[in-house]
């Protein structure tokens, strides 16, 4: 694999700058950056909501926010963090990295990719608009019926949630099809499936999970929406429906969803650890199979969220055992990561710190997960802060640590500049300490009887001290993200010598091309012979490769930019948005019209510039 | 690097950590928490607790071992100047088999008692148990004792040493009933009865609260669990079965109480609250409200001030609650409090 | 790289095969409806009593056959890549599991959870 | 390094040899399986749990106390099912025509396919309005809601498939579907077959199993 250098100054073409170029872009790298920026913004919004939650809970019987506002806050916090924070942050990495790591020019369907982003953005806006109408969703992130049926939630709050999540589902499904095809089909010549970087593998498995689990929640949301809009009784007991069916449908999706949230992070970690241990990933095949096994078994454990519902002993036992089994492949991953470090030469750069932090914290969350998996014990733990502790350890201690590490790791590739190491380390240590200060006491509180989703607690309960600590922790956690933001801004502003293609002496293909990569990524498709393609090349070359040269921007024919995906995305959002606060026929009609126009305009527009 | 942010952590972090550790240690003792699950006081809760301790033990062992391995790895193999390039190993099948089998073995140690306890706790107690029908309402709990003909709200009163069998349902949305010291949780569903049982081993008055999100006032849907010695329980039940006292013809009753009785009808309280134990209305039964320990769904101690505060401004304490503010004057409130207090 | 169209022409069956499949599909559908009618009208009685206990299974098997025929021949899974077959079969398998699992958990629940007050 | 010639090929390069679009449609179909599985699961779970009529396979008393026939009408749907099966057969022939560059075969069979599809949708519209006429509204009971939702979503898929086929027909009529672009019809056809196999499941599950 050699990028034969053509001595051209980087040829800047006008279509590559300006707002319009971002709106019409179909370049996976730009879409990745859009995903990242948007998701990070939503993450901050979700974090801000968490801070208000924490301030309200700082002492007993506080009245910072009203009870209903509190309920809106935690519903939107959970929904935002999961669907608008962690999932699209992972999507940023999918977008940016999958084609690069595969040695491809772009994803299989660049315009579909843009469509996914726009639908995600509009869905996120739609669901958050509810704040401005004063009707933010207030039924919890799993929206249990029959509280969420019309009788008990007559306002439009829940409509924003059912509709918003459906819109977001469209985005996820479109993206999942795209990345599935990209991974299967666009691997560089010679790259077998078992040569793919671990991040691509974990992302690939995530796409399969998305494809198979999102339809289930879509159906659940549709049924709930129909119940609310047209008066059917799918989840209404008086009409013969059973609210528990909602729970089964939701968690049938919901549990695979948590692996959708964590598998990409497993992938990120598996890329960072080898590079900074200077040693290949330990047990590659076992890592692949354990990931697949987690995903597969993950479909058979959903009812561990329902141990308190009285499913009966056989169901309890089945789901308990199935859940525990997942600890085994996850353990395999943990041990293989430690095996990767073992015998290596560990360089404590910021990405590596986050990766190590991830392992350390995720173990904690995983082990509390196993403690919930035992129904008799879970009957005491469920719906208390012990659960809240568990899932923040896996979601924040897991996903957010990994994503932060990934951001530091790939930043130079994406922007051609290194984030500041000192500030990065400060960010890490602050986050590690603040994170534990915020969430560790939740274990103790939960076991000592503090229920979740309560807007306040009594003085008698004695929950005050630990809650105070948590609030302080949360504020500190917010501060750690300010450090990160400052780091970004500082790096942005300060001139820096270009970092070069391979600042970390890394293992995978994306580090063989200039940072940031050119539009077409690879002037010629690389030829791959095994795993860790770049390390192998360097080994063969007997040292660092020469710095790759930029070639003319028009050296490779790339797809046309297009604004049609945005039109189609608007169509989808408007069509479904018509279901907020009842069914509004004319809104549906307008939406469908826009959608049809968008799709036809898209279908009949040439994907590539007219012939050379 | 002349970055001021760089200076901060050394001075601040240890102090914070120390404070946190001290606070955590102090805050760990479960006996400080009246709602704790860590001091089980009944058979069911003890079964849960046994499993909890088993899992906690194994989790701690795994935690310590694996975190140690991680720390050792990063310490031992940290990059030192002049260190040689690491050997490029790709895996080790024996090791991988070992670390698949060991966790499987540990899980078996958890799984076996788990399954045993699941089936053990799934058994329903026999007819000798005290039976209580538990009914969830937005946002209070109703308790009916069919064997005793009693209906009450907000306080589940049980005899120590006798198995209590709860048959639980809801009148509106899902709630979850929980007796932290005595048994785990059970969600309640409309049109379905869920069972939970326990045998209290101590007497006392314990707080508990609804643990399934059930709308705006889920946070203040609490209740008390009061375990009494058997004789006391019988006495309570016998006394409870008396009809409410009628003060209108009672010349010894204070005037305030008599006014209260009239207001109770005039102000419409009677539309939602019954003073007869067997008559279910939309609001909690107020039979013997005067001798309750807590009111307002277990969120206010039953003092005269709190009672007054509640009936005059229930929305102020529990926004969105299904009891309206009835625009009572202070005098009317005092009269009603006096009347309710007399319901002993 | 073989263009798909060329590739298809060589390996895809001709229209005789498609016709045969169509005929079988219709025959199977007729069988299904016939089975339904037998049980529904209970006529002929001998056949009906034979069929009744297994009619659900029979119907499901017949429709599975139809399903497989369309997938294999009309959707060309028999000739196209194994990967496509794998994608479809895996999804179908999981889909079937989900349908069955939903029915099992819900009916198991309904079978043991009382819907009327057990204290009365 | 001859860039130019490399590209022409690279645009069609796939690691498996399967065209991207074809793989995508199959992936989407896999996902759709779960969508219909959830709907069918809900239908079957609630089957027979209605508080009151109408009933799919038995007589029932309406509000006025009059005994009513069973709701489902097998002959009508059998006809619809046959139409859908025919259409699957036809679209295969149309595709065959497209791949061989036989324009007449392509257009003729495509039109036939679309006809069958339109009649199927018509059958369903008739069925629904007939049911409504007989007193089964969307919210009447669980059977009604689950039935209309499941078959309605299937009908929506058929309609979308029709829209797609008609679009391809228009393209074909304008002579813009040469053999090397037959894949554009194949994708629509695959989706169409999928809609058909879903019906192959729904037909016995909803209409024939009592
Ligand atoms: C990233 C997300 C994520 C991940 C990865 C997990 C992972 C796991 N989760 Fe978690 N979970 C959530 C997110 C996640 N969870 C969320 C959001 C909720 C709450 C939803 C809500 O109610 O709002 C939840 C709730 C939840 C419950 C329901 C609790 C309740 O509400 O009552 C249960 C019960 O079984 C559970 C179990 C598990 C288990 C067993 C794992 C396992 O996968 C963990 C496996 C990992 C390890 C075990 C550690 C490493 C392994 C070793 C070191 C090997 C040796 C270990 C042993 C021998 C034990 N989780
Ligand atoms: C990935 C998922 C994720 C993440 C990262 C977090 C992060 C945090 N969560 Fe979240 N949480 C959930 C997922 C997540 N949570 C879910 C699913 C629930 C359940 C919801 C439900 O019950 O329905 C939940 C519930 C939940 C509760 C329980 C509420 C209740 O039950 O009543 C609490 C309470 O403390 C909490 C706290 C926090 C805190 C303090 C953070 C912190 O880590 C946040 C740190 C981040 C910041 C502080 C942002 C920094 C912002 C700035 C610096 C300002 C800049 C601002 C702008 C420019 C806009 N969370
Ligand atoms: Cu009732 Cu929460
Ligand atoms: Cu789960």
């Amino acid at each position: 694999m050699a990028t034969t250098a053509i001595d051209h100054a980087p040829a800047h073409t006008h279509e590559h700058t300006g707002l319009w170029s971002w709106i019409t872009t179909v370049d996976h790298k730009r879409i990745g950056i859009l995903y990242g920026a948007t998701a990070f913004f939503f993450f901050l919004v979700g974090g801000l909501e968490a801070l208000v939650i924490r301030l309200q809970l700082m002492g007993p019987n506080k009245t910072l926010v009203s009870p209903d506002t509190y309920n809106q806050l935690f519903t939107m916090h959970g929904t935002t963090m999961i669907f608008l924070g962690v999932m699209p942050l992972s999507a940023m990495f999918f977008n940016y990295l999958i084609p690069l790591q595969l040695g491809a020019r772009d994803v299989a369907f660049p315009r579909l990719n843009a469509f996914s982003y726009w639908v995600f953005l509009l869905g996120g806006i739609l669901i958050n608009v509810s704040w401005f109408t004063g009707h933010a969703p207030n039924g919890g992130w799993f929206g249990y019926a029959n509280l969420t049926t019309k009788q008990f939630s007559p306002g439009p709050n829940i409509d924003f949630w059912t509709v918003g999540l459906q819109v977001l589902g469209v985005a996820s499904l479109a993206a999942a099809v795209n990345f599935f095809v990209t991974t299967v089909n666009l691997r560089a010549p010679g790259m077998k499936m078992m040569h793919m970087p671990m991040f691509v593998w974990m992302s690939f498995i995530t796409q399969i999970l998305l494809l198979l689990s999102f339809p289930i929640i879509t159906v659940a949301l549709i049924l709930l929406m129909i119940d609310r809009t047209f008066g059917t009784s799918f989840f209404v007991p008086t009409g013969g429906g059973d609210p528990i069916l909602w729970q089964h449908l939701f968690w049938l999706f919901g549990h695979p969803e948590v692996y959708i949230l964590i598998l990409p992070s497993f992938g990120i970690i598996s890329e960072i650890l080898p590079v900074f241990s200077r040693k290949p990933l330990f047990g590659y095949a076992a890592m692949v199979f354990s990931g697949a096994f987690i995903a597969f078994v993950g479909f058979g454990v959903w009812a561990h969220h329902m141990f308190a519902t009285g499913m009966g002993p056989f169901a309890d036992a089945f789901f308990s055992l199935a859940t525990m089994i997942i600890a085994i492949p996850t353990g395999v991953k943990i041990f293989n990561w430690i095996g990767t470090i073992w015998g290596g030469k560990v360089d404590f750069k910021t990405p590596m710190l986050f990766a190590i932090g991830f392992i350390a914290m995720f173990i904690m969350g995983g082990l509390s997960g196993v403690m919930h998996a035992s129904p008799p014990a879970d009957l005491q733990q469920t719906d208390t802060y012990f659960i809240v502790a568990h899932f923040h350890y896996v979601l924040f201690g897991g996903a957010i640590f990994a994503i932060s590490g990934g951001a530091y790791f790939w930043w130079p590739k994406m922007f051609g500049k290194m984030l500041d190491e000192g500030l990065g380390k400060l960010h890490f240590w602050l986050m590690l300490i603040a994170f534990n200060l915020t969430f560790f006491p939740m274990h103790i509180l939960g076991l000592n009887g503090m229920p979740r989703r309560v807007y306040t607690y009594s003085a008698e309960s004695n929950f005050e001290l630990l809650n105070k600590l948590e609030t302080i922790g949360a504020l500190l956690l917010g501060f750690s993200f300010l450090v990160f933001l400052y780091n970004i801004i500082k790096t942005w502003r300060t001139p820096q010598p270009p970092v070069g293609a391979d600042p970390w002496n890394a293992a995978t293909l994306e580090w063989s091309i200039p940072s940031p990569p050119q539009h077409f990524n690879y002037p010629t498709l690389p030829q791959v012979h095994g795993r860790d393609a770049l390390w192998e090349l360097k080994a063969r070359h007997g040292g660092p490769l020469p710095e790759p040269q930029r070639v003319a921007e028009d050296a490779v024919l790339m797809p046309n930019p297009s604004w049609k995906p945005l039109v189609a995305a608007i169509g989808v959002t408007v069509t479904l948005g018509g279901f907020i606060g009842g069914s509004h026929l004319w809104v549906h009609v307008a939406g469908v019209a826009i959608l049809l126009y968008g799709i036809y305009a898209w279908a009949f527009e040439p994907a590539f510039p007219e012939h050379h | 690097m002349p970055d001021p942010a760089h200076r901060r952590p050394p001075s601040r972090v240890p102090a914070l950590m120390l404070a946190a550790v001290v606070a955590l240690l102090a805050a760990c003792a479960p006996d400080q928490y009246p709602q704790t699950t860590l001091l089980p006081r009944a058979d069911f809760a003890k079964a849960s607790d046994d499993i909890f301790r088993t899992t906690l033990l194994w989790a701690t062992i795994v935690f310590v071992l694996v975190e140690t391995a991680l720390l050792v790895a990063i310490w031992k193999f940290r990059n030192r100047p002049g260190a040689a390039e690491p050997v490029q190993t790709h895996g080790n099948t024996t090791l991988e088999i070992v670390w698949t089998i060991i966790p499987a073995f540990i899980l078996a140690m958890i799984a076996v008692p788990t399954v045993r306890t699941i089936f053990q706790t799934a058994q329903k107690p026999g007819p000798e148990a005290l039976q209580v029908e538990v009914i969830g309402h937005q946002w209070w709990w109703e308790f009916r004792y069919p064997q005793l003909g009693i209906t009450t709200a907000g306080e589940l009163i049980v005899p120590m040493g006798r198995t209590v069998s709860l048959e639980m349902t809801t009148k509106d949305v899902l709630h979850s009933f929980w007796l932290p010291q005595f048994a785990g949780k059970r969600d309640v569903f409309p049109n379905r009865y869920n069972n939970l049982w326990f045998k209290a081993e101590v007497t006392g008055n314990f707080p508990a609260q609804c643990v399934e999100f059930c709308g705006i006032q889920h946070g203040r849907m609490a209740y008390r669990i009061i375990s009494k010695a058997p004789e006391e329980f019988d006495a309570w039940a016998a006394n409870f079965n008396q009809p409410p006292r009628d003060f209108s013809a009672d010349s010894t009753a204070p005037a305030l109480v008599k006014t209260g009785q009239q207001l109770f009808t005039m102000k419409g309280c009677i539309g939602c609250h019954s003073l007869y134990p067997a008559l279910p209305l939309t609001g909690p039964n107020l039979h013997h409200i005067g001798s309750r320990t807590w009111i307002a769904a277990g969120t206010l101690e039953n003092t005269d001030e709190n009672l007054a505060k509640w009936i005059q401004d229930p929305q102020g304490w529990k926004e969105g609650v299904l009891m309206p503010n009835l625009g009572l004057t202070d005098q009317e409130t005092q009269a009603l409090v006096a009347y309710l207090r007399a319901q002993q | 790289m073989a263009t798909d169209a060329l590739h298809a022409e060589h390996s895809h069956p001709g229209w005789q095969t498609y016709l045969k499949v169509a005929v079988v599909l219709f025959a199977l559908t007729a069988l299904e409806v016939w089975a339904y009618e037998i049980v529904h009208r209970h006529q002929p009685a001998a056949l009906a009593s034979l069929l009744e206990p297994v009619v659900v299974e029979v119907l499901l098997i017949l429709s599975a056959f139809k399903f497989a025929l369309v997938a294999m021949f009309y959707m060309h899974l028999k000739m196209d890549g194994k990967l496509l077959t794998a994608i479809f079969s895996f999804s179908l398998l999981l889909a079937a599991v989900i349908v069955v699992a939903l029915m099992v958990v819900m009916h198991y629940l309904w079978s043991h959870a009382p819907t009327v007050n057990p204290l009365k | 390094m001859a860039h130019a010639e490399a590209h022409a090929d690279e645009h069609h390069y796939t690691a498996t040899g399967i065209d991207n679009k074809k793989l995508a449609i199959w992936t989407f179909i896999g996902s759709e399986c779960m969508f219909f599985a959830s709907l069918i699961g809900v239908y079957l779970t609630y089957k027979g749990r209605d508080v009151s009529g109408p009933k799919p396979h038995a007589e029932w008393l309406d509000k006025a106390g009059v005994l009513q026939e069973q709701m489902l009408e097998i002959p009508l749907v059998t006809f619809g099912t046959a139409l859908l099966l025919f259409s699957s057969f036809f679209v295969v022939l149309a595709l065959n025509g497209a791949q061989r560059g036989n324009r007449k075969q392509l257009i003729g069979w495509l039109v036939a396919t679309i006809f069958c599809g339109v009649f199927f949708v018509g059958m369903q519209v008739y069925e629904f309005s007939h049911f409504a006429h007989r007193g089964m509204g969307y919210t009447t009971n669980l059977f009604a809601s689950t039935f209309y939702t499941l078959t309605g979503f299937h009908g929506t898929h058929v309609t979308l498939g029709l829209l797609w086929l008609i679009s391809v027909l228009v393209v074909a009529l304008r002579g813009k579907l040469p053999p090397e672009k037959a894949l554009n019809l194949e994708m629509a056809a695959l989706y169409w077959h999928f809609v058909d196999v879903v019906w192959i499941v729904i037909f016995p599950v909803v209409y024939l199993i009592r």
Side-chain angles (χ1 to χ4, degrees), chain A residues 265-290:
Chain A
S265 295
F266 286 176
I268 292 174
I269 294 312
S270 306
E271 296 299 317
I272 295 177
L273 287 172
V275 169
F276 296 96
S277 306
R278 310 243 51 78
K279 213 170 135 274
L281 189 65
F282 198 83
Y284 176 93
M287 286 299 229
V288 172
F289 291 127
S290 59

Side-chain angles (χ1 to χ4, degrees), chain D:
Chain D
M1 170 107 336
H3 276 295
E5 41 156 61
H7 310 148
D9 239 23
E10 280 169 5
H11 282 311
H12 294 277
Y13 162 81
T14 71
T16 54
I18 303 170
D19 190 278
N20 284 340
K21 287 187 186 168
K22 193 157 165 181
L23 184 58
I25 192 80
W26 271 107
T27 312
F28 178 64
I29 285 175
S31 185
E32 287 268 88
C33 286
M34 296 303 287
F35 182 84
F36 279 105
S38 310
L39 284 173
I40 293 173
V42 171
Y43 177 85
L44 283 176
T45 303
Y46 279 153
K47 190 173 159 68
R49 289 188 58 86
D50 305 290
V51 197
S52 57
K55 297 200 166 146
H57 292 109
E59 290 160 342
W60 50 284
L61 288 175
D62 66 12
K63 285 205 195 81
V66 183
L67 197 66
Q68 297 278 348
E69 293 267 294
Q70 75 164 47
M71 224 42 225
L72 298 177
E73 287 167 22
I74 308 304
L76 177 73
V77 211
T78 309
F79 177 65
T81 308
L83 280 175
L84 217 48
L85 287 177
F86 266 124
S87 75
S88 247
F89 174 46
F90 294 163
V91 82
V92 165
L93 298 181
L95 178 61
N96 195 268
Q99 286 167 342
R100 299 200 329 225
N102 185 336
R103 193 176 138 85
K104 237 162 112 189
Q105 188 187 341
L106 158 64
I107 290 175
W109 289 120
L110 199 51
V111 169
T113 310
I114 292 168
F115 255 101
C116 287
V118 169
F119 271 106
F120 178 86
V121 175
M123 182 281 291
Q124 214 170 31
V125 170
Y126 169 76
E127 186 192 31
F128 281 18
S129 58
H130 183 57
F131 285 178
H133 198 71
R134 285 179 60 193
M136 188 166 94
Y138 192 21
T139 58
T140 307
N141 67 356
L142 267 184
F143 164 67
S145 310
T146 50
F147 170 83
Y148 283 130
T149 308
L150 172 57
T151 54
F153 266 105
H154 178 266
T156 315
H157 279 69
V158 176
T159 312
L160 293 179
L162 274 174
L163 215 60
W164 194 351
L165 288 175
I166 292 171
S167 313
V168 177
L169 178 66
V170 171
V171 173
L173 282 173
R174 288 160 69 197
K176 293 197 172 153
L177 201 71
E180 61 274 14
K181 286 197 177 166
L183 187 69
N184 288 342
L185 174 57
E186 188 171 2
M187 299 216 324
L190 281 171
Y191 182 76
W192 189 252
H193 291 307
F194 173 70
V195 171
D196 184 27
V197 289
V198 170
W199 189 255
I200 287 180
V201 175
I202 293 180
F203 177 55
V205 162
V206 172
Y207 290 89
L208 298 184
I209 293 174
R210 310 167 115 254

